[in-house]
Amino acid sequence: MERCACPAALLLLSLAVLMGAMAFDVEIKDDKNATCIYAKLSVNVTVQYETNTSSTKNVTFSVPSEVTTNGSSCGSNGKAPILVINFGNGHSWSLNFTRNDSMYSGGALIFTYNTNDSTLFPDALKEGLISSTAAFLGPIPLNSTYKCISSEVVVSENVTQIISDVKLEAFMQNGTLGKEVSCDADKPSPTPTTNPSTTASTTTPTPTSKPLDNPTTGNYSVSDVNGTCLLASMGLQINTSLLSEGKNIWTAFNIDPTAMSKNGTCSNQTGTLILTDNSTVIEFTLALKNKNHFYLKEVNVALINGSASSTRQNQNLSAWEASVGSSYMCHKEQQIKVSEDLVINSFDVRVQLFGVKNETFATAQQCSLDDDSIVIPIVVGAALAGLIVIIVIAYLIGRRKGYSGYQTL
C-alpha cells in the first residue's frame, strides 16, 4: 500500500529530556549600539523525518549555547524586529515581533533544519533546508521582560519544541530590561478552599490507595493529503513510579481527552498519533507488518514538570494487531509497558491504520480478552469431562457392589 509521506499541519512528540538543557543568551543592538532585543532561553527540539527506507525516525537535539545572530534586526522602515538564532550545520530558530500602543507579542516562530546534516539526519529521504512555523509568545506589556522558567510545548509540522528558562524582551527602551512579567505556569497555584462534603479533582499524578475510575474514552484521527490515515478511540491511564523518601511509590492519573491537543502524521509504512497537554506528551506509532497487517510498534511518553522533563519509550512493542482494511478492538483493560517505571493502561481500544473510509472504523477484529467464543467451549468441555468422570466412577462403584453379592461355590 503506497501512501503520500507529506503530512499536512501535524504535530510531533518531543522526546527531549530537559535536565541539563543548554541555554543561549543573546542581545540584538541597533545602529546606536543600544540593545533592542534580549533573549535567554533553552530550546530542545524533536524532528520527525522520513528515511530513505520509507520509515520515519525521530531525532532530538538542543539549540546550543554557542550561536550566531546573523539576520537579526531591530526593525526599521516598516519591517518588524526579528531574532534569528543560527547554529550547527545550517539550522536556525527565528521569532519576529509585533506591537501596538501598549503590548508586544511574538509573531511567527520558524524553525529551519537542514537534512543535509548527516550527523543528525544520516538517512533522510529529502535533503535540504526545511522550515516549520508555529506561534510563540502572547501579548506582553511594553517595557516588560517576559520570564518563564516552566516548560512550554510548541508544536508544528514535523517539529516539536520544548522551550524553558525564558527571559526575553523586544522593543526595549534605552537598552535596558523592564520589569519582569512571569508566565502563568510560574505563578503560584491558588490555595484551594476545603469543603468537607466535596473533594477536588485533578489530573496531576497523586498517590492512589485504590484504583481510579476508568478514564474517559477519547476519539482521535490523523489525516494526510489523501484523507484520514489513522483512526483511534480509547481511554488512557498513566501509571508511573516516583521515588519518595527512598521508596518507589506508584501513582496513577487519567488522561482527559478534552484537554489534549490531538495530532499526528502518516508515512508509507507508519502512522503516529500525538496527544499533548501542558504536562504530558504521548506518542503512539503504528506500523505495517508484512504489508497486510498493522500493529502498535512504539510508544513514547514525556512527563513535564516545570522546566524539568523526563521521557520513557518502548520501540519494540507488538500489540493491537489486525489485518489492513480492518480495525482492532479490545474492550477489556490492557497494559502497555513503556518502561520499568511507566505503564499505560488502555480501555475500550479501537484503532485502524490505513484504509479508513468516511471517518468510520472498518469491521473489527477482537482481541482474545474479549473473545467469549473461546471461553464458552472451554467451560462446556470441562463440564462434560467432569460429568463423564462422575459416570465412570459411579459405574465402577456399582460393579464392585454387584460382585460382592455372589459367593464362590
Side-chain angles (χ1 to χ4, degrees), residues 36 38 97 102-105 137-147 167-173 176-182:
C36 63
Y38 174 79
F97 301 91
S102 59
M103 311 289 283
Y104 71 93
S105 303
L137 190 64
I140 306 297
L142 286 171
N143 306 321
S144 299
T145 303
Y146 175 73
K147 183 178 180 180
K167 189 174 182 180
L168 188 152
E169 183 174 348
F171 301 101
M172 291 172 60
Q173 298 293 318
T176 58
L177 292 172
K179 180 181 178 181
E180 291 185 352
V181 175
S182 295

Side-chain angles (χ1 to χ4, degrees), residues 16-312:
V17 180
L18 295 182
M19 295 295 189
M22 293 175 283
F24 58 83
D25 188 339
V26 298
E27 295 182 41
I28 308 304
K29 299 178 180 292
D30 60 19
D31 54 4
K32 298 180 181 179
N33 204 34
T35 301
C36 63
I37 302 174
Y38 174 79
K40 180 182 179 181
L41 59 151
S42 297
V43 182
N44 279 51
V45 185
T46 291
V47 176
Q48 188 177 70
Y49 68 98
E50 189 172 11
T51 70
N52 48 29
T53 59
S54 296
S55 62
T56 56
K57 281 187 178 180
N58 291 329
V59 58
T60 298
F61 52 94
S62 299
V63 177
S65 56
E66 297 297 325
V67 298
T68 64
T69 57
N70 298 335
S72 300
S73 169
C74 293
S76 61
N77 299 323
K79 292 184 178 181
I82 184 170
L83 172 65
V84 181
I85 304 298
N86 306 288
F87 65 98
N89 187 3
H91 314 296
S92 66
W93 185 98
S94 68
L95 177 66
N96 60 20
F97 301 91
T98 60
R99 60 167 289 177
N100 57 25
D101 292 339
S102 59
M103 311 289 283
Y104 71 93
S105 303
L109 170 57
I110 302 175
F111 186 81
T112 301
Y113 53 99
N114 182 14
T115 54
N116 282 319
D117 185 343
S118 58
T119 302
L120 293 176
F121 308 96
D123 51 357
L125 177 64
K126 183 179 180 181
E127 297 183 346
L129 296 177
I130 301 174
S131 295
S132 186
T133 303
F136 177 68
L137 190 64
I140 306 297
L142 286 171
N143 306 321
S144 299
T145 303
Y146 175 73
K147 183 178 180 180
C148 194
I149 298 173
S150 299
S151 299
E152 180 177 350
V153 179
V154 178
V155 286
S156 57
E157 184 176 1
N158 293 341
V159 175
T160 294
Q161 302 176 59
I162 299 182
I163 302 174
S164 61
D165 297 319
V166 178
K167 189 174 182 180
L168 188 152
E169 183 174 348
F171 301 101
M172 291 172 60
Q173 298 293 318
N174 303 318
T176 58
L177 292 172
K179 180 181 178 181
E180 291 185 352
V181 175
S182 295
C183 62
D184 291 341
D186 283 358
K187 295 176 182 177
S189 301
T191 303
T193 57
T194 57
N195 186 335
S197 62
T198 61
T199 56
S201 61
T202 177
T203 57
T204 304
T206 55
T208 55
S209 58
K210 61 180 181 179
L212 296 176
D213 292 336
N214 287 358
T216 302
T217 299
N219 298 308
Y220 314 107
S221 65
V222 177
S223 300
D224 61 13
V225 293
N226 295 320
T228 302
C229 53
L230 193 160
L231 200 60
S233 176
M234 55 188 149
L236 298 171
Q237 184 181 97
I238 304 293
N239 291 269
T240 185
S241 176
L242 303 176
L243 186 63
S244 177
E245 298 180 354
K247 297 180 180 179
N248 286 323
I249 299 176
W250 281 90
T251 66
F253 62 101
N254 290 336
I255 295 298
D256 179 5
T258 63
M260 306 296 287
S261 297
K262 314 153 182 88
N263 287 278
T265 184
C266 288
S267 70
N268 289 347
Q269 301 290 322
T270 63
T272 300
L273 170 67
I274 302 111
L275 307 177
T276 307
D277 65 12
N278 290 331
S279 61
T280 310
V281 184
I282 309 173
E283 177 186 272
F284 296 95
T285 297
L286 289 88
L288 292 181
K289 178 188 287 187
N290 300 326
K291 296 185 178 181
N292 54 8
H293 284 76
F294 69 85
Y295 70 104
L296 178 64
K297 178 183 180 182
E298 179 179 344
V299 174
N300 300 291
V301 178
L303 301 178
I304 303 168
N305 182 12
S307 62
S309 174
S310 59
T311 183
R312 285 87 162 174

